Amino acid sequence: MTRTLPMSPAEADRLAAELEPRTAEEVLEWAADRFGDRILLTCSWQKQSSVLIHMVSEVAPGMRVVELDTGLLFPETYETRERLISRYPIRFERIEPELTLDQQAGEYGNRLWERDPDACCGLRKVAPLRQALDGMDAWITGIRREQSTTRQNARKLELDERRGVVKVQPLADWTSRDVWRYIWRHGIPYNPLHDHGFPSIGCIPCTTSVAGQPSDERSGRWRGTGKVECGLHGR
């Protein structure tokens, strides 16, 4: 059943224009005030997650912070999660896929991510997000325009009509340099894989390091498959 959108497309366009010149903190404050307990932040424990955790802990410490734990994340990612949870007073929640990795292998065959990465992401990321968003009106993400061509038109507020929620993207206009400056200024814990050639960090089988300074931050994800998105923010 299609969910009723929490605002009209016309209102979303108007608000997106109003929020564009505002700082990330101001966008988060506005979102927390507008949506109350019907908004959540999803975290992948990459560098932009570190920034948003810091901001949310100051602006709206009672907000739901949700990890979609695929069971295939790097040890460094789980360690980063623990350091951030230990430091910040956040309302943390972990959501796991319905199937364990062994159950998925039994039903779909071994190493589904190699044969059909879209199906694997659907089971281990998209379905858990649907569970996380049940009863929610809005969802905060760390999307930035600079990350890839698929995200270059991202706005600070968008309607996700497929899921019936508003997407709030406070860092949409931030560059990677902006993110690092904020992390260093505030001494925020971050995923150490970023120091070892990983501009973007996802699941172990589908993430590789990248030499030099890639023009596309997500170039190390699903290399050689033509896939650029996991399905949370499009394909």
Side-chain angles (χ1 to χ4, degrees), residues 15 19 22-37 39 41 51-52 54-63 138 140 156-157 168-171 182:
L15 289 170
L19 293 172
R22 297 195 192 181
T23 67
E25 292 92 341
E26 288 170 341
V27 172
L28 278 173
E29 254 184 314
W30 173 88
D33 182 63
R34 169 70 185 252
F35 297 107
D37 62 1
I39 187 170
L41 165 67
V51 168
L52 289 171
H54 180 91
M55 290 182 179
V56 163
S57 73
E58 295 188 333
V59 172
M63 184 182 294
I140 299 168
K156 294 186 180 179
L157 184 142
V168 180
Q169 298 168 158
L171 307 181
Y182 191 92

Side-chain angles (χ1 to χ4, degrees), residues 9-167:
E11 184 183 10
D13 286 340
R14 177 180 61 79
L15 289 170
E18 290 180 6
L19 293 172
E20 180 59 29
R22 297 195 192 181
T23 67
E25 292 92 341
E26 288 170 341
V27 172
L28 278 173
E29 254 184 314
W30 173 88
D33 182 63
R34 169 70 185 252
F35 297 107
D37 62 1
R38 296 177 70 83
I39 187 170
L40 61 81
L41 165 67
T42 54
C43 275
S44 59
W45 313 115
Q46 301 182 70
K47 59 183 183 289
Q48 51 270 9
S49 291
S50 293
V51 168
L52 289 171
I53 286 286
H54 180 91
M55 290 182 179
V56 163
S57 73
E58 295 188 333
V59 172
M63 184 182 294
R64 285 179 72 201
V65 175
V66 176
E67 172 195 59
L68 306 177
D69 185 356
T70 64
L72 290 163
L73 304 181
F74 287 90
E76 293 88 344
T77 300
Y78 291 117
E79 290 163 9
T80 301
R81 175 189 71 192
E82 294 309 312
R83 284 190 292 142
L84 286 164
I85 292 173
S86 174
R87 172 163 171 175
Y88 294 105
I90 57 173
R91 181 183 160 198
F92 172 71
E93 178 181 343
R94 180 174 62 192
I95 296 181
E96 297 175 301
E98 182 178 343
L99 300 178
T100 66
L101 288 168
D102 286 342
Q103 288 169 335
Q104 178 174 298
E107 189 164 338
Y108 296 93
N110 288 323
R111 306 180 72 82
L112 179 62
W113 47 83
E114 291 181 354
R115 294 177 289 101
D116 192 344
D118 284 342
C120 188
C121 286
L123 291 166
R124 311 207 73 75
K125 286 188 174 183
V126 178
L129 175 65
R130 188 164 51 244
Q131 178 184 340
L133 292 178
D134 185 34
M136 296 288 105
D137 286 337
W139 163 35
I140 299 168
T141 85
I143 279 185
R144 296 182 291 109
R145 294 168 192 152
E146 186 192 60
Q147 288 173 317
S148 67
T149 55
T150 58
R151 300 182 176 190
Q152 63 187 359
N153 297 316
R155 298 185 298 173
K156 294 186 180 179
L157 184 142
E158 299 178 355
L159 284 181
D160 185 336
E161 298 191 29
R162 179 170 45 142
R163 298 184 176 95
V165 296
V166 173
K167 284 175 72 174

Side-chain angles (χ1 to χ4, degrees), residues 164-194:
V165 296
V166 173
K167 284 175 72 174
V168 180
Q169 298 168 158
L171 307 181
D173 58 347
W174 282 38
T175 64
S176 181
R177 182 173 294 182
D178 293 330
V179 175
W180 284 121
R181 267 198 295 254
Y182 191 92
I183 286 173
W184 294 329
R185 184 183 309 128
H186 296 280
I188 305 170
Y190 65 88
N191 197 318
L193 289 175
H194 287 307

